Amino acid sequence: MTKLSLPQAKKRLMELRKLLNQYSHEYHVLDEPSASDAIYDGLMNELKDLESKHSDLITGDSPTQRVGGETLKEFTKVQHSSRVLSLNDVFSRDDVIAWVKRITKLVPETKTEFFADIKMDGLGCVLVYEDGLFVQAITRGDGLVGEDVTMNVKTIKSVPLSLRSHKGYEQFLTGRTEVRGEIIMYKKDFEALNKERERLGLATFANPRNLAAGTIRQLDPKLVAARPLGFRAFDLLPKNNLIAPKSNELVYKSLSNLGLTINPQATTCKDLNKLMTFIEKWDTKRHDLSFNTDGIVVKINDRELYRQLGVVGKNPRAAVAYKYPAVEATTTVKDIVLSIGRTGAVTPVAVFDPVVVAGSTVKHASLHNSDEIARKDVRVGDTAVIFKAGDIIPQIDRIIIELRRKSSKKFDMEKELKRQYPELAFVRPEGEAVYRIKGATRRILLSKALEHFASKSALDIDTLGEKNVMALVNAGLVHDLADIYLINKDKVIKLDRFAELSAKNLVTAIKSSKSPQLPRFIYGLGIRHVGSQTAIDLSENFGSLDKLAQATLDDLEEVEGVGKIVAESILGWFADTDNQDLLNKFERLGMKPVFKSHKMGPLKNINFAITGGLETMSREIAAERIQILGGTFQTSVGKETDYLVVGKNVGENKLVNAQKLGTKQIDEKDLIKLLDRH
């Protein structure tokens, strides 16, 4: 996340608090949430992070300083017998290890045993039993005061109106006993309800959790009874602590014997490794559960130790909620770059601060076209909600307008086309939403790209010149760069230009290019503004194509010679889905670029330029020999140029510039001596 100044931090804190309080009110009071739990969690984590860095700016009305929201006025308010606490979130094995270390530091001689259960995505509720009879149901509310929803909860068939009498558990049938758990709607019931509403032409519900919460807060119990809700218990609090179960494992056993539904997946984990195995197991299997979940609740199994560890603020020390990767997240849009695909179509791409969505880090998302940008009103600097379509493709769902900067400006597609591609002309055909390069066809673009890919400075496939490229493209043998690795002699020999030997030579030359030097491969991809020297600089900085593909805007701008325009071009290229498919295809076909650093070569920090033709080698070969030894090859003479190599039929501009700047001039023989010396 971009570092904020103190005034910026103050402003951001105020904006986040206002919005989170609004979301909380919608969620807990109105039952009309406009944001998912993942969005709320993402903004809450940002707020927590800011407050941790600016603790003097924490205020009493901050959402971090309370458990939940207000209660509805239509229901009677009830004070809980003991506070209903929330749990701290953890997101990785390292987080769990850190939590365990904090506990063992407080109780060093105690062996920690864990009790783990599926975290249900429902509405927290407390059931009160007097002498074994159900008398009251209270929502969680703000943790201290909840709402009396007894008549509604009584309609839930999985809530026993009286606790079962079971041998060995009779003590819970005397006096007050509290059962804590979650009101949920099962996925199959939710889907059936929505299908019926579709049939009747009614609006469908967003998700089971919101429907369950909204249903419980209906004033008419008959409506509640008509909707299939369930209750699953996870805690038991008898008024007499002397009869309380000694472990959470025994709590679940007691609940089951008293007639409550519990999660059968819950288990005791003897050590950290067994706990993490349980967590990892349900990361993949959770989608098969009958209800929705976003994580695992982990508690210290020993209830006395749990009590001794106490509470910090609103969270118990002895329990955490392990959250699986969210399917939604929030982040800041840093830039909108324009990518030109293989058909000449322009695709705008949003670049943002890296964020984890559905288990992987994403840093850009396609905005498809200018109409889509206008519809969602995406602007640089906006806070965006990111999701993954089909759990694969990152997309911007919407912009959080309340956090928008007043100085932000609407995205102007035509203005950006002129800024990012000043040398090209674009047209938006009538009836289409996409801008395209004027006068360019897919065949022309592919031919030029393939010529560049096979050129001497790129993969140097000497038999794949302009005419042979056109022959392959016109015959439909290649549709992208990687397709050249699919052709064989039998296919090529059928073309007019080829005989037995020439077809064999072409296929052999192509096959031998499968292990190119990484800089040559990067250059050969044809990323706009990435010349051979920039390709070398990128290779030296990132060391592999995968790391380059994962680079952020900030990462790229740190590379010497890579400014914003070049960085935007690189990001746009790697964000294009066609290019992603192309790289995957290269990998499947056995393309393996090789990287060997020349950064510390004997010509390190020495810059060369060439004017005129050379006799013993081509300019491309000369440049490569210079670069292999760690030197830098420049296409023009500048202040940093150390040597200008003067060949035959020289141009005047470089000579004049060299004389003005005092650049040392050498001939081809001097260059060869310099290269051979090393």
Side-chain angles (χ1 to χ4, degrees):
M1 183 64 69
T2 306
K3 188 175 181 181
L4 302 178
S5 65
L6 185 60
Q8 289 173 325
K10 285 182 179 179
K11 187 172 183 296
R12 185 69 173 178
L13 282 167
M14 290 174 63
E15 292 171 340
L16 288 168
R17 288 169 184 157
K18 181 180 178 181
L19 187 59
L20 285 167
N21 280 326
Q22 177 188 324
Y23 284 167
S24 182
H25 179 75
E26 292 169 350
Y27 187 95
H28 294 288
V29 180
L30 303 180
D31 272 335
E32 296 174 356
S34 61
S36 69
D37 287 354
I39 293 171
Y40 185 95
D41 290 344
L43 296 178
M44 177 66 83
N45 288 334
E46 183 183 350
L47 179 61
K48 288 178 180 178
D49 182 61
L50 268 177
E51 288 187 347
S52 70
K53 294 172 181 173
H54 302 278
S55 57
D56 55 321
L57 298 181
I58 297 176
T59 59
D61 65 343
S62 173
T64 62
Q65 303 302 299
R66 64 177 184 177
V67 176
E70 303 164 31
T71 58
L72 283 172
K73 293 179 181 178
E74 289 87 346
F75 290 102
T76 304
K77 296 179 181 179
V78 180
Q79 186 167 341
H80 289 292
S81 61
S82 61
R83 190 174 186 179
V84 181
L85 300 170
S86 61
L87 302 180
N88 273 321
D89 294 336
V90 293
F91 301 93
S92 66
R93 184 186 183 96
D94 288 343
D95 289 347
V96 176
I97 291 171
W99 168 63
V100 174
K101 282 182 178 178
R102 289 194 296 272
I103 289 173
T104 52
K105 189 174 181 181
L106 292 170
V107 284
E109 302 301 321
T110 306
K111 182 182 178 182
T112 52
E113 184 179 75
F114 309 100
F115 188 75
D117 188 14
I118 310 294
K119 182 178 179 292
M120 293 170 283
D121 191 17
L123 176 71
C125 190
V126 176
L127 309 182
V128 180
Y129 291 85
E130 291 283 357
D131 294 332
L133 297 178
F134 172 68
V135 295
Q136 194 173 42
I138 312 165
T139 63
R140 177 186 171 192
D142 66 359
L144 296 172
V145 176
E147 305 153 359
D148 189 325
V149 288
T150 305
M151 295 304 294
N152 287 347
V153 171
K154 190 177 285 187
T155 68
I156 300 174
K157 293 180 180 179
S158 56
V159 172
L161 298 181
S162 61
L163 297 175
R164 287 178 60 195
S165 178
H166 194 282
K167 187 177 180 180
Y169 296 90
E170 299 87 354
Q171 63 269 33
F172 297 109
L173 304 182
T174 302
R176 178 187 173 98
T177 297
E178 278 190 21
V179 174
R180 294 184 175 182
E182 295 273 329
I183 295 171
I184 59 174
M185 180 171 283
Y186 295 102
K187 288 188 283 190
K188 63 178 178 60
D189 295 326
F190 176 75
E191 290 165 5
L193 188 60
N194 264 348
K195 281 183 181 178
E196 177 62 15
R197 291 181 69 85
E198 281 181 359
R199 188 184 69 80
L200 297 173
L202 301 174
T204 57
F205 296 109
N207 59 65
R209 191 257 173 249
N210 290 348
L211 179 55
T215 299
I216 283 299
R217 290 193 175 100
Q218 294 290 329
L219 294 176
D220 184 0
K222 292 180 182 178
L223 190 151
V224 181
R227 293 181 181 172
L229 297 177
F231 178 84
R232 292 199 172 201
F234 58 70
D235 206 356
L236 182 66
L237 301 174
K239 189 172 184 180
N240 182 358
N241 274 332
L242 294 176
I243 63 171
K246 303 301 181 185
S247 69
N248 283 301
E249 182 180 10
L250 290 175
V251 164
Y252 272 52
K253 187 176 181 181
S254 301
L255 288 168
S256 182
N257 284 320
L258 291 170
L260 280 302
T261 303
I262 59 169
N263 287 336
Q265 300 84 10
T267 187
T268 300
C269 302
K270 298 294 183 182
D271 55 42
L272 181 62
N273 286 333
K274 288 184 172 61
L275 171 62
M276 293 311 302
T277 299
F278 179 83
I279 289 172
E280 289 160 8
K281 169 187 173 182
W282 287 106
D283 187 11
T284 54
K285 291 190 66 177
R286 60 193 164 110
H287 303 293
D288 298 329
L289 290 167
S290 60
F291 54 87
N292 286 339
T293 177
D294 63 354
I296 301 292
V297 173
V298 182
K299 302 177 181 178
I300 296 299
N301 195 29
D302 188 317
R303 298 275 284 193
E304 177 57 26
L305 178 58
Y306 190 106
R307 186 191 65 78
Q308 288 176 13
L309 286 167
V311 176
V312 178
K314 58 186 177 65
N315 310 116
R317 284 195 180 95
V320 290
Y322 187 102
K323 288 287 192 77
Y324 291 122
V327 294
E328 287 186 323
T330 58
T331 187
T332 303
V333 178
K334 299 188 72 175
D335 200 358
I336 298 176
V337 302
L338 304 178
S339 170
I340 299 178
R342 61 188 179 188
T343 64
V346 179
T347 302
V349 177
V351 178
F352 36 76
D353 282 324
V355 62
V356 176
V357 184
S360 64
T361 300
V362 295
K363 61 186 184 305
H364 47 61
S366 172
L367 293 170
H368 305 294
N369 53 61
S370 57
D371 289 350
E372 183 73 357
I373 296 177
R375 186 179 71 80
K376 293 181 177 178
D377 193 14
V378 182
R379 307 182 189 183
V380 175
D382 279 349
T383 299
V385 176
I386 311 298
F387 76 103
K388 277 191 176 179
D391 290 333
I392 298 172
I393 304 169
Q395 293 188 23
I396 289 181
D397 180 56
R398 63 190 180 279
I399 298 300
I400 301 177
I401 301 297
E402 296 89 340
L403 297 179
R404 170 171 284 165
R405 299 180 309 195
K406 290 182 180 178
S407 61
S408 70
K409 295 180 181 178
K410 283 183 174 290
F411 184 79
D412 187 326
M413 185 71 168
E414 294 195 354
K415 183 178 178 181
E416 280 301 303
L417 283 169
K418 290 177 182 177
R419 182 183 76 83
Q420 295 188 34
Y421 297 93
E423 77 283 11
L424 298 176
F426 295 89
V427 61
R428 179 175 174 175
E430 189 175 347
E432 291 190 19
V434 176
Y435 284 83
R436 300 179 185 277
I437 299 175
K438 190 175 182 179
T441 66
R442 181 169 184 163
R443 183 175 292 181
I444 291 172
L445 291 169
L446 176 57
S447 297
K448 289 184 176 180
L450 189 49
E451 283 177 45
H452 175 78
F453 186 73
S455 66
K456 288 186 178 297
S457 296
L459 272 71
D460 193 18
I461 308 174
D462 59 1
T463 56
L464 197 54
E466 179 183 354
K467 292 181 179 179
N468 282 353
V469 164
M470 287 300 296
L472 295 177
V473 172
N474 290 336
L477 291 183
V478 293
H479 300 90
D480 58 39
L481 299 182
D483 274 349
I484 62 172
Y485 297 104
L486 289 172
I487 65 175
N488 55 44
K489 189 181 71 172
D490 294 337
K491 291 179 179 178
V492 175
I493 204 169
K494 294 177 182 178
L495 305 182
D496 290 341
R497 289 185 51 81
F498 295 93
E500 179 82 19
L501 183 60
S502 56
K504 180 181 178 182
N505 288 341
L506 175 64
V507 172
T508 301
I510 291 172
K511 188 176 181 180
S512 65
S513 69
K514 278 193 172 183
S515 298
Q517 291 293 316
L518 179 60
R520 283 177 167 270
F521 184 68
I522 293 172
Y523 174 66
L525 292 174
I527 303 171
R528 190 166 171 271
H529 298 309
V530 176
S532 57
Q533 185 59 52
T534 302
I536 291 170
D537 295 337
L538 292 170
S539 298
E540 293 288 351
N541 274 270
F542 296 103
S544 73
L545 196 67
D546 287 341
K547 288 183 179 178
L548 174 59
Q550 295 302 316
T552 65
L553 189 67
D554 291 339
D555 293 335
L556 291 166
E557 288 187 307
E558 286 179 5
V559 179
E560 187 176 352
V562 175
K564 184 178 181 182
I565 291 176
V566 180
E568 285 178 334
S569 179
I570 295 168
L571 281 172
W573 195 93
F574 281 104
D576 189 286
T577 53
D578 282 345
N579 293 332
Q580 293 169 12
D581 291 341
L582 176 65
L583 293 178
N584 290 332
K585 189 172 180 178
F586 270 129
E587 187 175 358
R588 290 197 307 272
L589 294 174
M591 168 64 77
K592 295 180 180 179
V594 177
F595 173 64
K596 181 180 179 183
S597 178
H598 301 296
K599 204 170 186 177
M600 303 308 293
L603 297 184
K604 177 188 175 185
N605 298 328
I606 300 178
N607 303 316
F608 295 81
I610 297 176
T611 183
L614 303 179
E615 292 183 348
T616 61
M617 67 184 95
S618 67
R619 186 175 299 204
E620 290 79 9
I621 295 298
E624 185 170 16
R625 291 192 62 185
I626 289 168
Q627 291 160 348
I628 286 173
L629 294 172
T632 300
F633 177 73
Q634 299 175 323
T635 55
S636 60
V637 177
K639 291 180 180 179
E640 296 179 352
T641 307
D642 297 292
Y643 293 101
L644 174 63
V645 182
V646 182
K648 292 186 176 181
N649 302 318
V650 301
E652 291 185 10
N653 288 341
K654 288 183 181 178
L655 283 176
V656 171
N657 286 340
Q659 289 167 358
K660 284 182 180 179
L661 297 169
T663 305
K664 186 173 181 179
Q665 297 180 32
I666 60 175
D667 59 21
E668 185 175 351
K669 290 180 181 179
D670 294 327
L671 174 63
I672 293 172
K673 287 179 184 178
L674 193 59
L675 296 175
D676 289 345
R677 190 188 307 165
H678 302 289

